Amino acid sequence: MNGPHIDACIQALEPLCAKVAMARQAQLPGLAEVAKPPAGTALWSGGYARLLLWPVAANQSDVIARAADEGEGWLDALLAQTETLSTAPLDGYLVLALPAPPAPETDEEIRKVELSSRICRKHLVWPSSTKALAAGAEPWARIADITALGLPDAATAASDTLYWPDIGDAADALWLELQEKGAPAVAQADAEAPIPTGGLE
């Protein structure tokens, strides 16, 4: 994939990642025993997730499958290394950037890659066709479909720190009971409690 194409993809991802409190890493970390990232690979990091853009060399099904395996392996190694230094688990998102819109014969491989839940969520994106651009499409197709990034423009940026949401009194009481007695005891007590009739008597 040539430089201008992948640079345009990075530019399209940058503001979307910023909205969800992920910042682009200036350089990729060195990882042993995994595939070397191809030119144009980019990584965004936040307190809760990592998003890896992995360029795919060609649109053939076997090349897509190999790129998915290599990118997934690299991201898995990164997440494993990072999680040993952190108390919070991290989500991983692998974005595979094709060099051109895919041919129909690659549909099955694309579907297989995107439906795989192994290690991380995977998404394939590609430059929009000339026809799609003429119809008003964004320069890169399917970027808004990336799970962590497809927020509406009105959404506010996510916080980089974890916080507890406000919950109602009943939920708050249940949470305190779970902390004090433990989930098994609370579940057992609930199972043994009489079923409320709701005024049906």
Side-chain angles (χ1 to χ4, degrees):
M1 179 179 293
N2 65 35
H5 276 312
I6 200 64
D7 287 346
C9 187
I10 290 169
Q11 289 167 13
L13 285 169
E14 191 70 42
L16 298 176
C17 287
K19 270 188 184 182
V20 293
M22 284 197 280
R24 186 174 172 206
Q25 301 294 113
Q27 61 184 35
L28 298 174
L31 298 171
E33 299 178 15
V34 290
K36 182 181 175 184
T41 300
L43 175 68
W44 286 264
S45 298
Y48 63 96
R50 301 292 182 267
L51 185 142
L52 179 67
L53 174 66
W54 191 272
V56 180
N59 279 16
Q60 286 87 16
S61 294
D62 61 328
V63 177
I64 293 170
R66 185 170 61 251
D69 286 344
E70 290 175 350
E72 187 177 65
W74 195 94
L75 185 56
D76 184 40
L78 173 70
L79 292 173
Q81 179 187 75
T82 307
E83 286 180 346
T84 60
L85 307 172
S86 170
T87 56
L90 293 170
D91 287 335
Y93 301 92
L94 175 62
V95 180
L96 298 159
L98 297 177
E105 56 266 25
T106 62
D107 285 354
E108 185 178 339
E109 186 59 40
I110 289 171
R111 194 163 30 254
K112 178 181 168 188
V113 168
E114 291 191 323
L115 289 176
S116 166
S117 58
R118 188 180 71 156
I119 297 173
C120 62
R121 292 298 308 268
K122 291 166 278 294
H123 300 273
L124 280 92
V125 299
W126 49 80
S128 295
S129 67
T130 305
K131 184 178 177 182
L133 289 171
E138 294 295 321
W140 274 78
R142 305 174 86 236
I143 280 188
D145 296 340
I146 297 170
T147 309
L149 306 181
L151 297 175
D153 288 339
T156 57
S159 168
D160 198 29
T161 57
L162 298 175
Y163 66 94
W164 286 106
D166 291 330
I167 58 177
D169 291 341
D172 198 34
L174 175 60
W175 176 245
L176 290 173
E177 188 178 7
L178 286 167
Q179 287 180 310
E180 290 171 7
K181 299 178 182 176
V186 172
Q188 185 65 37
D190 184 61
E192 293 171 356
I195 299 171
T197 59
L200 295 177
E201 292 178 344

